């Protein structure tokens, strides 16, 4: 007879593993994801355009790494970060050391990097690193979620969720570990890809001024868009497509995936800069969800250039996103390399 493991979650910070198989970035998957986040830059679809910009293949949208991360983090959420009914995303940081392109073969690491107790709830941060076959880390992603316990949702949510949950493959293993065993990242410095190795084909730095506005953009999101994104990304959480489940979870209606809204915003900025690989960092704090009723909803994006650095010819873009008259991004900034 085994007893439940009682290792506190805070003591599990630093738990690390590397996904056994690599993730190969497919050309059609890049196109499929760009369509799902309504990113219309032609470098995501047209090989000729991507080549003209200096890329070896179609450029993956900035938030594309959420796909392999979703699969990689599953083991952590099932065996290490346990005791929660669901999770709500609150913060996200993408660090693009170099743009990911079709044909890249990536090794994915997973690490539980922080647990904070805020207002009686656990804020959990997971870090993913994506390394190419040359041994360079090309992308780092930090995801912070709030763990929602069964006491915080309607008791019937679990049973209702089982009835509609997307089927998945679960392969039992004879040597499954029952008790928690901590694994940590091996010692040694990570080798980051050099973002200056390629000259961006973005807007001319000398043509920009602090305070310059981004063109306002209004993007329509429907229930169909949510279902499509769920399928493309692998995020089958029913709060994004099943109204009764969303309400049992305490939400007013189904809500757009946080990663979807961030992908929409990244597309707006890449359209402004002209080069989807010009962004080196994208940081978003989610303040409220984008609710998507049966009739659909509009997400309004605007922004401005917050700062410019003449020495590095870089700048920081402030991005604003609103839905239903409310800000859905509490704060969103993008670090951009200009031509």
């Amino acid at each position: 007879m085994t007893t439940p493991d009682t290792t506190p979650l805070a003591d599990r910070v630093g738990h690390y593993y590397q996904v056994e198989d690599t993730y190969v970035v497919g050309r059609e998957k890049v196109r499929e994801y760009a369509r799902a986040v309504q990113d219309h830059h032609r470098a995501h679809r047209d090989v000729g355009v991507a080549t003209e910009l200096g890329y070896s293949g179609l450029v993956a949208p900035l938030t594309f790494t959420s796909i392999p991360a979703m699969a990689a983090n599953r083991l952590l959420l099932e065996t290490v970060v346990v005791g929660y009914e669901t999770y709500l995303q609150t913060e996200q940081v993408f660090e693009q050391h170099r743009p990911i392109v079709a044909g890249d073969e990536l090794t994915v690491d997973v690490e539980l990097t922080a647990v904070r107790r805020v207002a009686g709830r656990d804020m959990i941060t997971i870090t993913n690193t994506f390394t190419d076959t040359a041994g360079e880390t090309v992308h780092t992603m930090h995801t912070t979620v709030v763990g929602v316990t069964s006491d915080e949702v309607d008791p019937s949510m679990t049973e209702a969720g089982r009835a509609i949950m997307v089927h998945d493959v679960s392969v039992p293993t004879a040597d499954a570990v029952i008790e928690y065993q901590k694994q940590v990242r091996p010692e040694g410095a990570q080798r980051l890809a050099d973002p200056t190795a390629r000259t961006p084909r973005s807007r001319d730095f000398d043509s920009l001024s602090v305070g310059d506005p981004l063109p306002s953009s209004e993007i329509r999101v429907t229930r169909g868009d949510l279902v499509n994104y769920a399928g493309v990304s692998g995020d089958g959480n029913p709060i994004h497509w099943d109204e009764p489940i969303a309400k049992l979870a305490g939400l007013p209606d189904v809500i757009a995936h946080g990663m979807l809204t961030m992908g929409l915003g990244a597309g707006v900025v890449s359209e402004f800069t002209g080069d989807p690989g010009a962004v080196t960092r994208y940081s978003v704090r989610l303040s409220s969800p984008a609710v998507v009723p049966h009739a659909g909803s509009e997400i309004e994006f605007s922004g401005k250039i917050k700062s410019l650095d003449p020495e590095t010819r870089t700048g920081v873009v402030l991005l604003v996103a609103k839905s239903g008259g409310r800000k859905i991004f509490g704060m969103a900034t993008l670090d951009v390399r200009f031509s």
Side-chain angles (χ1 to χ4, degrees):
M1 180 178 178
T2 60
T3 56
D5 193 284
T6 57
T7 305
L9 184 59
D11 292 344
R12 303 185 182 199
V13 171
H15 189 99
Y16 163 91
Y17 59 87
Q18 187 177 94
V19 177
E20 184 176 344
D21 202 2
T22 56
Y23 182 89
V24 179
V25 180
R27 184 187 63 184
E28 300 311 319
K29 193 67 177 181
V30 169
R31 288 171 172 157
E32 186 180 70
Y33 187 81
R35 176 176 178 267
V37 295
Q38 301 187 46
D39 189 333
H40 305 298
H41 198 289
R42 290 176 61 203
H44 304 312
R45 296 174 174 81
D46 189 320
V47 176
V49 171
T51 301
E52 288 177 5
L53 289 174
Y55 297 105
S56 60
L58 293 184
V59 186
L62 180 60
T63 58
F64 181 87
T65 45
S66 59
I67 301 175
M70 176 68 63
N73 294 344
R74 178 176 169 180
L75 180 63
L76 187 81
L77 297 175
E78 290 180 349
T79 63
V80 179
V81 181
V82 295
Y84 303 99
E85 188 70 24
T86 188
Y87 302 92
L88 295 177
Q89 190 175 13
T90 60
E91 297 176 13
Q92 186 71 39
V93 177
F94 297 91
E95 296 176 283
Q96 184 168 244
H97 311 300
R98 77 148 169 86
I100 291 172
V101 297
D104 274 335
E105 185 172 350
L106 305 175
T107 297
V108 187
D109 293 354
V110 182
E111 184 174 2
L112 177 62
T113 46
V115 175
R116 295 173 290 145
R117 190 76 174 169
V118 178
R121 306 180 83 179
D122 289 333
M123 305 275 286
I124 302 152
T125 301
I126 301 168
T127 297
N128 297 109
T129 56
F130 303 83
T131 308
D132 64 13
T133 53
E136 291 187 331
T137 297
V138 297
H139 198 112
T140 307
M141 183 173 136
H142 310 275
T143 305
T144 301
V145 297
V146 173
V148 180
T149 64
S150 57
D151 296 335
E152 300 176 84
V153 298
D154 191 298
S156 60
M157 177 180 170
T158 301
E159 191 60 37
R162 288 196 191 102
I164 63 168
M165 191 60 68
V166 177
H167 288 98
D168 206 341
V169 177
S170 179
V171 181
T173 57
D175 58 345
V177 177
I178 297 175
E179 295 184 358
Y180 171 70
Q181 295 183 353
K182 189 171 184 176
Q183 307 168 110
V184 297
R185 179 183 290 276
E187 293 184 3
Q190 291 181 333
R191 187 158 58 95
L192 302 182
D194 181 9
T196 64
R198 172 188 165 274
T199 301
R201 306 288 182 87
S202 50
R203 295 172 74 102
D204 179 13
F205 181 89
D206 295 325
S207 69
L208 303 170
S209 300
V210 173
D212 283 354
L214 271 67
S216 297
S217 181
E218 189 172 84
I219 300 177
R220 182 162 181 75
V221 177
T222 67
R223 295 275 180 93
D225 293 321
L226 303 189
V227 172
N228 182 55
Y229 184 82
V232 171
S233 68
D235 185 350
N237 191 329
I239 64 173
H240 301 302
W241 48 269
D242 187 277
E243 186 175 331
I245 292 292
K247 290 182 176 178
L248 287 175
L251 298 167
D253 210 326
V254 299
I255 61 172
H257 307 70
M259 288 289 191
L260 170 57
T261 60
M262 285 181 269
L264 298 173
V268 169
V269 174
S270 70
E271 191 67 28
F272 169 73
T273 65
D275 185 343
V279 174
T280 58
R281 190 175 191 273
Y282 182 21
S283 176
V284 181
R285 185 164 62 243
L286 299 168
S287 56
S288 64
V291 178
V292 182
H294 281 293
S297 64
E298 310 289 338
I299 299 181
E300 303 166 14
F301 291 96
S302 60
K304 64 180 181 180
I305 296 179
K306 182 181 179 183
S307 63
L308 292 169
D309 184 344
E311 290 189 12
T312 60
R313 300 182 75 81
T314 60
V316 176
V317 173
L318 180 66
L319 182 66
V320 177
K322 293 182 179 180
S323 179
R326 298 181 304 171
K327 280 189 175 183
I328 61 174
F329 292 173
M331 174 66 75
T333 58
L334 299 95
D335 297 354
V336 183
R337 295 178 64 226
F338 293 102
S339 298

